[in-house]
Amino acid sequence: MPSDTGRRARLLAATLIPVLAVLAVRSWLVEPVTVSSDSMAPTIPSGSVVLLYKPAAAAGWIRNGVVVAFGSPIDGRTVIKRVIAGAGQRIAIRDSELFVDDVAVVEPFVDHSRIDATYFGPVTVPAGSVFVLGDNRGVSIDSRDFGAVPLTSIQGTLLTGQK
């Protein structure tokens, strides 16, 4: 018959190991994030819980069109935006249409009728950075306001979006 001390040790291990595993996964692999603004709506509405895949940032998987999370240069809070362009690319918005390197970008996730007569740029993305925009351009605070985001500030890419 096992001793009382042995049972306690097994119970402690059975409890502690799963908790440590969840903490490790959350710290290094995947973290749930609650979206607190409408800047990515309707793609990701406010109140949605999304999964942030952390290794993507370190692995260099940040590409145009990918949705990323990073610390806001304004207040440090985690924000979610879409990467529009990388280092060396030239960005302009002409009458709500996005141009990257003078080529119009098809953006089915953006409601252009809500941002008619919007103009920005042109600007060139500096080395080691990406230019990010919210899908809901009329309300989004993004690289048009705070400039390009350093790759070192990217916390990860989104895996899912659900309400």
Side-chain angles (χ1 to χ4, degrees):
M1 178 173 209
S3 72
D4 196 36
T5 304
R7 278 190 291 244
R8 284 189 204 150
R10 282 192 301 280
L11 179 61
L12 180 62
T15 304
L16 194 55
I17 289 171
V19 168
L20 291 175
V22 166
L23 289 174
V25 165
R26 197 170 170 164
S27 294
W28 298 306
L29 192 60
V30 177
E31 179 180 352
V33 176
T34 301
V35 177
S36 62
S37 81
D38 284 325
S39 70
M40 288 297 293
T43 308
I44 307 169
S46 182
S48 296
V49 175
V50 296
L51 293 177
L52 182 63
Y53 183 60
K54 293 181 173 187
W61 296 350
I62 309 304
R63 303 276 184 265
N64 293 0
V66 172
V67 178
V68 297
F70 56 95
S72 168
I74 296 172
D75 61 13
R77 293 177 40 196
T78 298
V79 293
I80 296 169
K81 306 290 179 196
R82 187 177 304 275
V83 173
I84 298 304
Q89 291 187 299
R90 192 166 174 83
I91 310 310
I93 298 175
R94 301 180 203 134
D95 199 15
S96 82
E97 297 296 322
L98 174 65
F99 291 83
V100 176
D101 295 331
D102 291 321
V103 176
V105 178
V106 176
E107 299 180 290
F109 41 81
V110 173
D111 183 354
H112 293 276
S113 69
R114 298 183 74 189
I115 55 172
D116 192 33
T118 299
Y119 291 85
F120 175 82
V123 298
T124 300
V125 181
S129 300
V130 291
F131 196 91
V132 297
L133 295 173
D135 289 356
N136 188 358
R137 306 265 163 83
V139 300
S140 181
I141 298 172
D142 47 39
S143 286
R144 294 171 295 170
D145 302 294
F146 50 68
V149 176
L151 288 171
T152 55
S153 296
I154 304 289
Q155 298 167 357
T157 62
L158 264 55
L159 288 178
T160 62
Q162 55 196 15
K163 180 88 173 157

